[in-house]
């Protein structure tokens, strides 16, 4: 980690963290969409993959605003969540249980992103980077909507079917 003396340093490091995470998510979501058995869940993952590609682009705009080349920094949190998702995919012996597990893994990802973007949007405003704050808030809104959509899918049948498995 480069030395962090200022809030600006911390902001930049955290942008690198979420940039790494978003790129990782663009690789994980297609795998999750492929494994999901509920058509609604599959479509939800595919929709969020497109949004996630937009999140990467927004972060690249923020790097440009800071006159920095886009560069990620390994985020052990997202690597761990992805590792757990992989375990669920490998070990679920019933397709409804698999879907319930995939939703749980995806919600862990969204909650991580919500935490990061909430903080980053707040810091951007603090730093007077209002254009960056707007981009971060736009992504935050999509992460929250995705989290709610996942809850809806879980409650509209996936959990009941997993219970019956
Ligand atoms: Fe995202
Ligand atoms: Fe997301």
């Amino acid at each position: 980690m480069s030395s962090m003396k200022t809030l600006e340093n911390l902001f930049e490091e955290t942008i690198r963290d979420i940039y790494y995470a978003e790129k990782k998510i663009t690789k994980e979501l297609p795998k999750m969409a492929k494994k999901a058995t509920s058509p609604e869940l599959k479509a939800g993952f595919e929709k969020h993959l497109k949004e996630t590609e937009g999140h990467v682009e927004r972060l690249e705009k923020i790097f440009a605003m800071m006159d920095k080349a886009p560069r990620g920094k390994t985020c052990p949190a997202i690597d761990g969540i992805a590792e757990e998702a992989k375990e669920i995919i490998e070990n679920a012996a019933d397709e409804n249980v698999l879907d319930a597990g995939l939703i749980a893994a995806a919600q862990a990802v969204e909650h991580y992103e919500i935490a990061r973007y909430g903080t980053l949007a707040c810091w951007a405003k603090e730093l007077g980077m209002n254009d960056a704050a707007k981009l971060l808030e736009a992504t935050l809104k999509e992460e929250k909507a995705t989290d709610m959509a996942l809850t809806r899918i879980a409650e509209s049948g996936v959990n009941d079917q997993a219970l019956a498995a």
Side-chain angles (χ1 to χ4, degrees), residues 117-138:
Y117 282 108
T119 299
L120 283 164
C122 176
W123 285 346
K125 277 187 244 165
E126 204 69 53
L127 292 165
M129 299 175 67
N130 292 323
D131 291 340
K134 279 194 194 104
L135 292 173
L136 294 163
E137 275 164 1

Side-chain angles (χ1 to χ4, degrees), residues 24-44:
K24 176 101 183 177
I25 298 162
T26 62
K27 294 191 197 99
E28 297 303 315
L29 276 172
K31 294 182 208 165
M32 294 167 80
K34 205 173 146 205
K35 288 288 171 185
T37 56
S38 148
E40 215 191 337
L41 183 57
K42 205 182 265 289

Side-chain angles (χ1 to χ4, degrees), residues 22 25 29 48 51-52 55 106 109-110 113 142-143 146:
E22 291 284 17
I25 298 162
L29 276 172
H48 197 52
E51 288 174 341
T52 301
H55 301 170
V109 172
E110 296 317 312
E113 291 182 297
E142 288 174 355
E143 311 294 17
T146 301

Side-chain angles (χ1 to χ4, degrees), residues 3-150:
S3 77
M4 293 197 289
K5 286 190 197 142
T6 63
L7 183 62
E8 205 172 346
N9 296 149
L10 186 57
F11 178 79
E12 192 184 321
E13 286 296 317
T14 310
I15 288 285
R16 290 194 205 290
D17 168 286
I18 197 70
Y19 185 62
Y20 172 96
E22 291 284 17
K23 288 197 128 182
K24 176 101 183 177
I25 298 162
T26 62
K27 294 191 197 99
E28 297 303 315
L29 276 172
K31 294 182 208 165
M32 294 167 80
K34 205 173 146 205
K35 288 288 171 185
T37 56
S38 148
E40 215 191 337
L41 183 57
K42 205 182 265 289
F45 285 149
E46 281 161 2
K47 179 184 177 215
H48 197 52
L49 172 60
K50 292 211 181 69
E51 288 174 341
T52 301
E53 286 161 357
H55 301 170
V56 170
E57 281 169 25
R58 286 189 189 126
L59 291 170
E60 286 170 351
K61 281 187 192 151
I62 294 172
F63 279 111
M65 289 171 186
M66 298 188 293
D67 278 319
K68 302 278 177 180
R71 192 163 52 83
K73 183 186 92 178
T74 305
C75 167
I78 204 76
D79 285 344
I81 293 171
E83 192 54 42
E84 287 186 357
K86 196 173 147 225
E87 262 174 50
I88 289 167
I89 290 171
E90 284 169 358
N91 297 329
D94 173 274
E95 59 184 29
N96 295 309
V97 171
L98 170 66
D99 279 355
L102 286 173
I103 291 172
Q107 287 194 295
V109 172
E110 296 317 312
H111 289 197
Y112 182 72
E113 291 182 297
I114 289 165
R116 280 290 182 253
Y117 282 108
T119 299
L120 283 164
C122 176
W123 285 346
K125 277 187 244 165
E126 204 69 53
L127 292 165
M129 299 175 67
N130 292 323
D131 291 340
K134 279 194 194 104
L135 292 173
L136 294 163
E137 275 164 1
T139 296
L140 178 60
K141 210 171 149 194
E142 288 174 355
E143 311 294 17
K144 285 183 178 169
T146 301
D147 179 46
M148 283 165 67
L150 287 164

